[in-house]
Amino acid sequence: MNGETAMAETTELNTAKEDWTKEDVLGLLDCMRSIVPSNDVLKFKTTESHMDWNKVTFAHYTGEMCKRKWSEISHEVRKFRTLSELILDVQENVKNPYKGKKLKNHPDFPKKPLTPYFRFFMEKRAKYAKLHPEMSNLDLTKILSKKYKELPEKKKMKYIQEFQKEKEDFEQNMARFREDHPDLLESVKRTDAPEKPKTPQQLWYLHEKKAFMKLHPKATMKDVKEALGKQWSQLSDKKRLKWIGKSLEQRELYEDAMRDYVLRHPEQSISLDDLTKNTLTKAERQLKDKFDGRPTKPPPNGYSLYCAELMSNMKDIPSTERMVLCSKQWKMLSQKEKDAYQKRCEQKKKEYEINLHRFLLSLPEHEQQRVLSEEKMIGIHKKSKQPEAECS
């Protein structure tokens, strides 16, 4: 009896000792990280098999207890990683058990509204199942789907309106959930890879969104996007340039960080050529270039120069009519007047080449190539002093 009692007491004591708290589990993971090799690139099972669990011991937990707990908690996360990365995943899982696919299990996560069809389906399913007990679920679904499609618009509107009302409530609740739990909405695949740069509009939107939500607390996400989208389209060039500059700064920092990341992770075979995607639209890039001193390309010949000047005073006339008028007016000019326009065109081209060359010298090499490619004049910086072929 005494032996059995002693054994029971020992088991009870071990159970009490292994009553791990969240802080204890995080402590275990920190101990494990400290002894994992810094050049850890092997499969996690290989590194784990060489783990000296006696070096992981802490507080009253033995090496065997630590090993057993690790086996239990690492079961919850994906395994096709190195041990260092796997420990990070487990840490995230312990800190945020609702992250990723388990997010919808969070007690505060708002329930998505049922679609109009599904409302109709749930309302009528029991009745049709009772009338046709011999039917399978698939057959019932087909019948109810057909019934819903045949429903008059007036009756269908009832389900649509119920859905729209609940959808607005869901969007408001989801916005609050994002504010209350921003950490839960981060990507589940957390790595040390730098965050991708944002576009000027994205940066501006994030800056303005909080202020808008404070002024309009009942606004849905659709309302916010539409209102801020309209504001962005009406933003002055001066204000837009501010966010263009911020976006380019982010992109530069991102590229520097990614170069470092690629050197630290040769196993991922990442090409830096894939990481230099522009964050600016064509219009934003043109605005930035103009602000930086990029010259405007002149018309290709005297006739085009004449039309450009004439059309600047014809803004109220449709474009097709303007071209007809320009053509007629040009034909009425004397040869001497036409030659004068051609001469002015040639002069503008020479000035343009000089100014473009000066602008190119102010840019880094990769930006020079971009500008030259856009201009379709790749050789111009090498032949900036050579005259162009005569305009026709």
Side-chain angles (χ1 to χ4, degrees):
M1 278 299 279
N2 289 340
E4 287 178 7
T5 304
M7 190 178 290
E9 285 176 354
T10 304
T11 305
E12 212 171 281
L13 182 62
N14 287 339
T15 304
K17 279 185 176 180
E18 290 203 53
D19 186 16
W20 293 75
T21 64
K22 181 178 177 179
E23 288 70 27
D24 289 340
V25 175
L26 292 173
L28 163 64
L29 296 170
D30 285 335
C31 288
M32 289 180 66
R33 284 184 70 187
S34 67
I35 66 167
V36 173
S38 57
N39 60 340
D40 179 32
V41 293
L42 302 173
K43 289 182 179 179
F44 95 94
K45 276 288 183 188
T46 305
T47 311
E48 186 186 63
S49 66
H50 293 95
M51 175 78 73
D52 185 351
W53 290 100
N54 290 324
K55 290 182 180 179
V56 182
T57 58
F58 71 104
H60 61 268
Y61 297 108
T62 65
E64 188 58 36
M65 290 161 74
C66 290
K67 184 179 180 180
R68 203 158 43 238
K69 189 63 181 175
W70 166 251
S71 178
E72 177 194 325
I73 58 177
S74 64
H75 182 71
E76 297 293 322
V77 295
R78 58 198 180 107
K79 310 284 193 309
F80 48 95
R81 313 198 71 191
T82 64
L83 187 57
S84 299
E85 292 168 326
L86 186 60
I87 292 170
L88 286 173
D89 267 4
V90 175
Q91 278 183 322
E92 284 302 314
N93 192 59
V94 172
K95 289 178 184 177
N96 300 299
Y98 294 110
K99 244 186 176 182
K101 293 179 181 178
K102 298 178 183 177
L103 182 62
K104 291 178 182 179
N105 297 331
H106 195 285
D108 297 340
F109 193 83
K111 190 177 178 182
K112 278 191 175 183
L114 297 176
T115 62
Y117 161 68
F118 207 66
R119 286 168 190 276
F120 171 81
F121 177 85
M122 295 300 286
E123 184 182 291
K124 305 293 182 185
R125 187 184 178 283
K127 176 186 172 183
Y128 275 83
K130 194 173 180 179
L131 289 171
H132 306 282
E134 75 287 351
M135 281 191 179
S136 66
N137 285 331
L138 182 60
D139 290 333
L140 277 173
T141 302
K142 286 179 179 177
I143 286 177
L144 289 171
S145 176
K146 187 181 178 184
K147 290 284 182 186
Y148 181 76
K149 287 175 183 176
E150 293 171 351
L151 212 60
E153 286 301 316
K154 193 173 180 180
K155 288 187 176 180
K156 198 180 282 187
M157 189 54 65
K158 169 198 165 186
Y159 302 103
I160 293 171
Q161 286 173 347
E162 286 176 0
F163 165 72
Q164 287 175 339
K165 185 181 182 303
E166 285 189 21
K167 186 186 175 189
E168 285 184 10
D169 293 340
F170 170 77
E171 287 175 343
Q172 287 178 19
N173 292 333
M174 195 65 203
R176 289 192 198 98
F177 183 84
R178 285 193 183 95
E179 287 181 7
D180 294 341
H181 308 283
D183 55 316
L184 295 180
L185 295 165
E186 292 175 5
S187 172
V188 72
K189 296 180 181 177
R190 291 196 62 180
T191 68
D192 58 341
E195 185 182 354
K196 289 185 178 180
K198 290 181 171 57
T199 65
Q201 186 172 1
Q202 287 171 336
L203 290 172
W204 177 85
Y205 178 86
L206 291 171
H207 181 266
E208 295 294 322
K209 184 184 170 186
K210 284 186 179 179
F212 186 90
M213 290 298 286
K214 280 184 181 179
L215 290 172
H216 309 277
K218 293 184 179 180
T220 63
M221 293 311 295
K222 184 181 178 183
D223 294 335
V224 176
K225 285 180 180 178
E226 285 180 356
L228 292 182
K230 188 176 180 181
Q231 286 182 34
W232 171 258
S233 66
Q234 296 171 350
L235 213 63
S236 66
D237 286 350
K238 187 178 179 181
K239 288 182 179 178
R240 203 176 289 249
L241 277 165
K242 171 188 170 182
W243 297 100
I244 288 172
K246 286 181 181 292
S247 178
L248 289 173
E249 284 173 18
Q250 264 199 9
R251 179 185 163 197
E252 192 172 334
L253 291 171
Y254 170 74
E255 289 177 4
D256 289 341
M258 278 306 299
R259 287 188 189 95
D260 180 58
Y261 180 79
V262 169
L263 290 173
R264 287 188 287 110
H265 296 277
E267 75 280 2
Q268 295 192 23
S269 304
I270 303 171
S271 171
L272 282 172
D273 294 334
D274 302 330
L275 305 172
T276 55
K277 187 179 178 182
N278 205 335
T279 53
L280 307 187
T281 63
K282 186 178 178 181
E284 287 166 350
R285 171 48 67 191
Q286 288 174 345
L287 178 62
K288 180 70 170 62
D289 282 348
K290 185 180 178 182
F291 177 79
D292 289 342
R294 182 174 178 173
T296 304
K297 197 171 183 179
N301 50 50
Y303 171 67
S304 298
L305 176 62
Y306 173 80
C307 288
E309 291 179 352
L310 193 63
M311 283 185 182
S312 63
N313 299 316
M314 296 182 178
K315 291 178 181 177
D316 297 330
I317 302 172
S319 58
T320 50
E321 290 181 28
R322 276 185 275 172
M323 287 305 299
V324 172
L325 284 169
C326 281
S327 179
K328 286 181 179 178
Q329 294 282 354
W330 175 257
K331 288 174 182 176
M332 291 170 67
L333 296 180
S334 65
Q335 190 57 47
K336 188 177 180 181
E337 288 173 318
K338 289 179 181 179
D339 290 343
Y341 273 101
Q342 187 63 36
K343 189 176 180 180
R344 281 178 57 203
C345 175
E346 295 294 340
Q347 184 59 36
K348 283 182 178 291
K349 280 189 176 184
K350 288 177 183 177
E351 290 171 1
Y352 170 72
E353 288 180 15
I354 294 168
N355 292 334
L356 181 61
H357 182 68
R358 190 181 293 127
F359 175 67
L360 287 169
L361 292 175
S362 70
L363 301 175
E365 189 174 347
H366 70 278
E367 285 292 287
Q368 289 182 17
Q369 294 304 317
R370 174 187 64 79
V371 172
L372 290 170
S373 177
E374 289 171 358
E375 295 285 332
K376 296 182 181 178
M377 298 168 69
I378 302 295
I380 195 169
H381 68 304
K382 295 178 181 177
K383 304 176 182 179
S384 57
K385 293 184 181 180
Q386 293 181 18
E388 286 263 62
E390 225 175 77
C391 295
S392 57

